[in-house]
Amino acid sequence: MLSEKDFNRHPCFNVKAKGQYGRVHLPVAPKCNIQCNYCNRKYDCVNESRPGVTSTLLSPDQALVYMGKVLEKEPRISVAGIAGPGDPFANAEETLETMRLIRKEYPDTILCLSSNGMNVAPHVPELAEIGVSHVTITINAVDPEISQHIYAWVRDGKVLYRGRQGAELLLARQLQAIALLKQHGITVKVNTIVIPGINDHHIPVLAATMKELGVDLLNCMAMFPNADTAFENIAEPSKEQMDTLRNQAEQFLPQMRHCTRCRADAVGLLDNDRTDEMRGCLSACAQLPKPEETVRPYVAVATLEGVLVNQHLGEATRFQIWGEDGKGGYQHIEDRQAPPTGGGSQRWLNISRILADCQAILVNDLGESPKEMLKKRGIQPITMVGFIERGLEAVYTGKGLSSLQGRMRKCSSKGACAGGGNGCG
């Protein structure tokens, strides 16, 4: 559960903290899985402050170095957040790795994420495990009839949805995310972009719905017209209009009235921004070389009896870990328990962590989702039939692997394994 201390030190969630504590946004998430009709991330003017823009991008390791430099300059930074320039969970691996690194190196730092909510739900247990205490979800309507006019498209994996279908999918994912975040004791703020003539009449209904879901804070933000967008000719709502809408929404939820519409690389106190000052440091950190690749001496095997490679990844309850014996052969090092079945992509991520010192995994078969996850984490998935030792020889020598490929039982989900992570049964 959240501590009162954490809540008080977050300047975005507590207006009394904005002159005492600051935040740094770490721009590690370039990709986005939706296209809002008011958003244009192509331009980066150093003189403008708005979401979706950054001077440069960082890798998780570069972000950790940058965090240290920021704290040297401004020790009052209490919050490390990720707010783009895309969506943190369209870049889930980079986002979670950055959060893990910051938590380990700076354990007292409040961790915060801002997302459109499309792909948050599968990662909520891990967010709670890492200690991410504050999450913002941007929800612009709770009626797909309205929100279908706000989004050009919504992407789920490789499938693109448009119109009402996309709006319904996005809303369902957003509501699911909020419910799970609250179940895990995470403070939730909802950002709502007020778009005159589109959703301005809908704000009280949205606020009432968010209250029912247990949302902690609502931030009604005036839409800023951006060039080359569908909404570029819609005027920014006036201060008077925003005051009226916030007063109406405040009947249901506390309002954030001190938002500065931060960039994805913002740093400093809300009323003493130091983004310009730190731009050179940010650029320098972005040029840092990547860390040396992790040594991976082992190979994991999905096997029933320890002789043959004969298990589907989704069915495996344990993995045998093998390595070279120094005499030209191979030895069984240990067995490692697999994470519990179920949980979809979270299970594949957990497996990749358990096997972090393995260069490859030998399996009878696996779906596209775990295959991509493992490869992204530096583990080569190899589907084969036959004796374990022949597979090990092929991995360590690089020879004869194609001859091991056989006719294998295919995944009933057509290779996606996107359901519960239970295997093909």
Side-chain angles (χ1 to χ4, degrees):
M1 295 295 291
L2 285 175
S3 69
E4 187 67 22
K5 178 181 179 182
D6 276 352
F7 186 84
N8 286 336
R9 292 170 56 233
H10 198 311
C12 302
F13 285 72
N14 179 15
V15 65
K16 295 180 181 178
K18 75 183 184 78
Q20 304 173 49
Y21 298 101
R23 83 294 186 231
V24 56
H25 286 175
L26 304 171
V28 300
K31 295 181 290 186
C32 198
N33 46 15
I34 70 174
Q35 178 58 60
C36 305
N37 285 331
Y38 52 76
C39 181
N40 187 342
R41 299 185 293 123
K42 293 180 182 178
Y43 305 111
D44 169 32
C45 174
V46 296
N47 297 314
E48 71 175 334
S49 177
R50 63 177 173 88
V53 295
T54 180
S55 293
T56 190
L57 295 168
L58 301 175
S59 69
D61 292 284
Q62 291 168 345
L64 180 63
V65 175
Y66 179 61
M67 181 74 186
K69 302 291 186 183
V70 166
L71 289 172
E72 288 176 10
K73 291 282 188 180
E74 180 52 271
R76 293 176 293 177
I77 296 293
S78 61
V79 179
I82 299 174
D87 188 86
F89 296 98
N91 308 262
E93 283 302 296
E94 294 82 357
T95 293
L96 295 170
E97 180 64 15
T98 302
M99 294 286 95
R100 284 192 291 268
L101 291 171
I102 300 297
R103 171 59 69 227
K104 182 177 179 180
E105 189 71 20
Y106 304 102
D108 294 331
T109 298
I110 298 169
L111 300 181
C112 182
L113 297 168
S114 182
S115 170
N116 57 46
M118 180 65 188
N119 195 37
V120 170
H123 305 288
V124 171
E126 185 172 6
L127 295 180
E129 178 187 335
I130 293 171
V132 174
S133 56
H134 295 71
V135 172
T136 295
I137 307 290
T138 297
I139 301 181
N140 295 319
V142 291
D143 180 355
E145 189 63 33
I146 296 172
S147 53
Q148 69 174 320
H149 302 294
I150 300 175
Y151 307 103
W153 50 258
V154 171
R155 187 175 64 245
D156 185 21
K158 296 181 180 180
V159 182
L160 211 65
Y161 298 91
R162 298 181 186 275
R164 188 179 178 101
Q165 189 179 21
E168 289 175 347
L169 175 62
L170 177 59
L171 178 61
R173 296 287 182 84
Q174 291 171 332
L175 300 183
Q176 179 190 24
I178 290 174
L180 288 171
L181 289 165
K182 295 312 300 178
Q183 286 175 21
H184 285 78
I186 295 174
T187 293
V188 177
K189 173 166 67 73
V190 165
N191 282 352
T192 298
I193 312 302
V194 177
I195 311 163
I198 303 292
N199 71 343
D200 49 340
H201 64 287
H202 183 62
I203 302 304
V205 174
L206 184 147
T209 304
M210 293 303 103
K211 179 183 180 180
E212 292 174 4
L213 291 171
V215 168
D216 300 277
L217 187 65
L218 181 63
N219 177 23
C220 295
M221 305 170 65
M223 187 203 72
F224 184 84
N226 287 312
D228 299 328
T229 67
F231 289 168
E232 66 177 328
N233 294 319
I234 296 179
E236 182 175 0
S238 67
K239 181 181 182 302
E240 292 73 23
Q241 183 180 6
M242 292 303 301
D243 286 342
T244 298
L245 291 175
R246 286 170 180 145
N247 289 337
Q248 292 173 353
E250 202 161 32
Q251 298 176 42
F252 304 97
L253 281 174
Q255 298 296 295
M256 179 182 181
R257 297 173 183 267
H258 59 288
C259 178
T260 57
R261 298 196 288 201
C262 298
R263 294 166 54 99
D265 57 2
V267 59
L269 277 63
L270 296 187
D271 51 6
N272 184 22
D273 192 82
R274 303 181 69 173
T275 305
D276 285 345
E277 180 184 341
M278 295 300 296
R279 187 163 280 113
C281 179
L282 179 69
S283 298
C285 288
Q287 301 303 314
L288 293 173
K290 294 181 179 179
E292 293 184 13
E293 196 167 326
T294 305
V295 176
R296 301 175 185 268
Y298 303 129
V299 173
V301 181
T303 176
L304 288 168
E305 76 300 294
V307 177
L308 300 170
V309 180
N310 53 14
Q311 270 197 308
H312 188 290
L313 179 67
E315 299 169 330
T317 58
R318 65 183 176 86
F319 301 106
Q320 284 194 351
I321 307 301
W322 288 74
E324 294 179 290
D325 64 5
K327 304 174 185 177
Y330 310 101
Q331 60 182 339
H332 175 217
I333 307 297
E334 64 181 7
D335 284 8
R336 293 180 189 170
Q337 283 295 121
T341 57
S345 62
Q346 185 64 39
R347 183 170 193 254
W348 315 134
L349 181 59
N350 291 339
I351 286 175
S352 71
R353 290 198 191 130
I354 291 169
L355 306 180
D357 55 358
C358 297
Q359 60 183 283
I361 179 170
L362 307 179
V363 296
N364 198 215
D365 200 5
L366 77 167
E368 287 302 318
S369 179
K371 183 185 294 184
E372 290 304 312
M373 176 72 73
L374 290 167
K375 288 169 69 174
K376 199 169 185 180
R377 305 281 292 184
I379 304 167
Q380 181 63 39
I382 296 171
T383 55
M384 61 164 284
V385 292
F387 291 101
I388 292 173
E389 189 165 348
R390 292 188 63 195
L392 295 172
E393 183 178 6
V395 171
Y396 284 110
T397 66
K399 299 177 181 179
L401 188 60
S402 60
S403 66
L404 300 177
Q405 308 295 316
R407 185 177 180 83
M408 292 162 281
R409 178 166 56 87
K410 291 299 178 184
C411 182
S412 61
S413 61
K414 299 183 180 179
C417 267
N422 295 308
C424 293

